[in-house]
Amino acid sequence: GAVVSQHPSWVICKSGTSVKIECRSLDFQATTMFWYRQFPKQSLMLMATSNEGSKATYEQGVEKDKFLINHASLTLSTLTVTSAHPEDSSFYICSASNSLAPSSYEQYFGPGTRLTVT
Amino acid sequence: DQQVKQNSPSLSVQEGRISILNCDYTNSMFDYFLWYKKYPAEGPTFLISISSIKDKNEDGRFTVFLNKSAKHLSLHIVPSQPGDSAVYFCAASVVGGATNKLIFGTGTLLAVQP
């Protein structure tokens, strides 16, 4: 149980275009989803937290107009990188948790999406 | 400001021996701690967790110890196996709010030599 998928697993796009990454919880209801990015040999940096049906809460320094997050259902959240630039190239990982479950502190991670902006 | 720190970027141990991964934190409000294992180009996999009301939690080969007064936790893997080779992240949960946000450490690369 507690499987989270991400699509696509990797994507290459040109500067100025937008890219959408999907995160799905396959076998549980994800009341909360988190989006992280990871640079090579660095830690996971939380970008934003989203609750189903609510606006996402962004971490300090993350541009909410650039990284659009939608959490329209209990099984799907999307991250759209708008007007992508080469510095947006990174590994993006989502996670999901069920805040109503006894183990609500546990987050289950997707496999990640490698974004390369040329 | 790194609230969760893993001061050893890498660790090498022999197969069958004990691996000890350390983690320090600064925020005394953290009330839940987790360890994740991560392979390159994959998402982290949950390993084991511990509540701040406990000082030890064991699950098979994995044991997590928490020393609240020292703001320190450690993950022990016994016996270590080559398949344990990966990056290990400790994470701490922030108290309060509607969501349980995790703050991750910088990771320790464990290499288990056959």
Side-chain angles (χ1 to χ4, degrees), chain A residues 10 14 18-19 24-25 27-28 47 49 53-54 76 78 88 101:
Chain A
W10 60 271
K14 293 186 176 182
S18 296
V19 175
R24 293 181 185 272
S25 58
D27 51 3
F28 69 102
M47 299 174 65
T49 302
S54 303
L76 174 65
T78 60
D88 298 327

Side-chain angles (χ1 to χ4, degrees), chain B residues 3-8 20-28 30 33 35 50-52 54-56 63-76 90-92 108:
Chain B
Q3 297 186 69
V4 180
K5 300 178 184 179
Q6 294 174 254
N7 292 319
S8 297
I20 300 176
L21 299 107
N22 294 302
C23 180
D24 298 293
Y25 61 96
T26 57
N27 189 341
S28 58
F30 289 142
F33 303 89
W35 283 94
I50 188 167
S51 165
S52 61
K54 295 186 176 181
D55 55 17
K56 177 182 176 181
T63 303
V64 57
F65 295 92
L66 175 62
N67 183 333
K68 283 185 64 179
S69 60
K71 295 190 178 68
H72 176 85
L73 66 154
S74 61
L75 174 68
H76 292 209
C90 67
T108 296

Side-chain angles (χ1 to χ4, degrees), chain A residues 32 34 36 38 41-46 49-51 59 91 93 99 104-112 114, chain B residues 2 31-32 34 36 38 40-46 49 89 93-95 98-107:
Chain A
T32 306
F34 304 84
Y36 297 81
Q38 184 186 26
K41 298 185 179 180
Q42 293 189 24
S43 184
L44 284 75
M45 299 301 297
L46 179 66
T49 302
S50 72
N51 290 304
E59 294 299 300
F91 192 58
I93 310 173
S99 57
S104 62
Y105 286 100
E106 294 175 14
Q107 293 180 23
Y108 301 94
F109 285 81
R114 169 71 60 191
Chain B
Q2 190 71 32
D31 67 350
Y32 206 79
L34 306 90
Y36 285 86
K38 186 181 182 299
E42 293 185 13
T45 302
F46 170 74
S49 62
F89 289 97
S93 180
V94 179
V95 174
T99 59
N100 298 316
K101 189 166 69 171
L102 291 179
I103 307 298
F104 280 85
T106 48

